Amino acid sequence: EVQLLESGGGLVQPGGSLRVSCAASGFTFSNYAMNWVRQAPGRGLDWVSTISASGGNTYYADSVKGRFTISRDNSKNTLYLQMSSLRAEDTAVYYCAIRIAAATFDYWGQGTLVTVSS
Amino acid sequence: AIQMTQSPSSLSASVGDRVTITCRASQGIGNDLGWYQQRPTKAPELLIYAASSLQSGVPSRFSGSGSGTDFTLTISSLQPEDFATYYCLQNYNYPFTFGPGTKVDIK
């Protein structure tokens, strides 16, 4: 069974940093690109970033480019999102998601809440 | 970036109604479109991929159609558990973009 479990969310001050993680199981992690999607309170879904299976290619939304870094450790089956220079508008639930069998994100984690506030 | 629009932004419907939601892309995306259902405080769930393919385990009352720039999600007979928010997602190219969502509530 595919499982994605996010962790690391919490309260951080504006300008601060935080790293969230996504532990994966139930599939061969190193074979698949991984993604982060976020949702601000009461708002819609926003794609944040994607990393290729090997980690050699990364893609970012303009809103986080230069501030967020996606990475992965295939030996630990874990995806990361390092967030720096955080702003109030980065407050959101952060989901990891993967395309396995379908042509789009077919498995999602339960999300981890990041709150940026003083 | 490809912009995705959805209409309507919200609708009220009754159990048993046929519901249609439209998603439009600002440029052609082939059939690289998915539809998601999200209930409050839950992660999104995939309903339709590749514009018209039903995800495994999803009831057959859900269907998708379209290609290029115009896409439709149809619920043939609305059930109580279908009251939720629906999003389209284009994964044709980066940055991937979601539609703003359509909230379906009870009339």
Side-chain angles (χ1 to χ4, degrees):
Chain A
E1 178 192 5
V2 173
Q3 290 194 335
L4 301 171
L5 183 61
E6 301 92 338
S7 62
L11 176 64
V12 60
Q13 292 188 338
S17 298
L18 192 68
R19 188 179 79 166
V20 293
S21 304
C22 172
S25 61
F27 63 99
T28 305
F29 183 74
S30 58
N31 284 357
Y32 296 94
M34 295 294 297
N35 310 271
W36 287 102
V37 175
R38 70 183 180 182
Q39 185 170 36
R43 305 295 295 273
L45 299 166
D46 287 314
W47 169 82
V48 173
S49 184
T50 296
I51 187 168
S52 64
S54 67
N57 293 293
T58 57
Y59 308 87
Y60 297 93
D62 285 346
S63 58
V64 306
K65 201 172 295 182
R67 301 188 300 121
F68 289 13
T69 301
I70 190 171
S71 63
R72 63 192 296 159
D73 186 335
N74 285 347
S75 69
K76 294 182 178 180
N77 290 352
T78 302
L79 173 71
Y80 303 101
L81 186 67
Q82 178 69 48
M83 302 180 286
S84 60
S85 302
L86 282 161
R87 307 165 181 166
E89 54 265 36
D90 296 318
T91 294
V93 174
Y94 285 75
Y95 295 101
C96 62
I98 185 176
R99 292 192 281 185
I100 291 185
T104 187
F105 304 157
D106 47 358
Y107 292 94
W108 296 64
Q110 87 293 343
T112 188
L113 176 63
V114 173
T115 303
V116 184
S117 175
S118 55
Chain B
I2 298 173
Q3 308 299 319
M4 305 300 293
T5 57
Q6 275 183 246
S7 60
S9 57
S10 65
L11 66 90
S12 295
S14 301
V15 172
D17 284 352
R18 181 181 182 88
V19 168
T20 299
I21 299 169
T22 297
C23 182
R24 176 164 290 175
S26 60
Q27 66 185 73
I29 60 171
N31 69 342
D32 289 337
L33 185 109
W35 287 99
Y36 293 84
Q37 178 192 70
Q38 187 180 33
R39 298 188 180 96
T41 73
K42 299 296 186 182
E45 295 183 3
L46 179 64
L47 301 173
I48 301 288
Y49 64 93
S52 60
S53 296
L54 189 67
Q55 172 69 349
S56 176
V58 173
S60 59
R61 63 181 179 272
F62 291 94
S63 64
S65 64
S67 67
T69 60
D70 294 310
F71 303 87
T72 300
L73 173 71
T74 299
I75 310 172
S76 60
S77 178
L78 200 66
Q79 297 302 300
E81 60 269 30
D82 301 338
F83 292 96
T85 300
Y86 295 84
Y87 296 93
C88 59
L89 165 66
Q90 72 80 15
N91 56 297
Y92 178 76
N93 65 14
Y94 294 104
F96 294 163
T97 41
F98 288 88
T102 296
K103 185 176 182 180
V104 177
D105 61 22
I106 302 172
K107 183 182 288 184

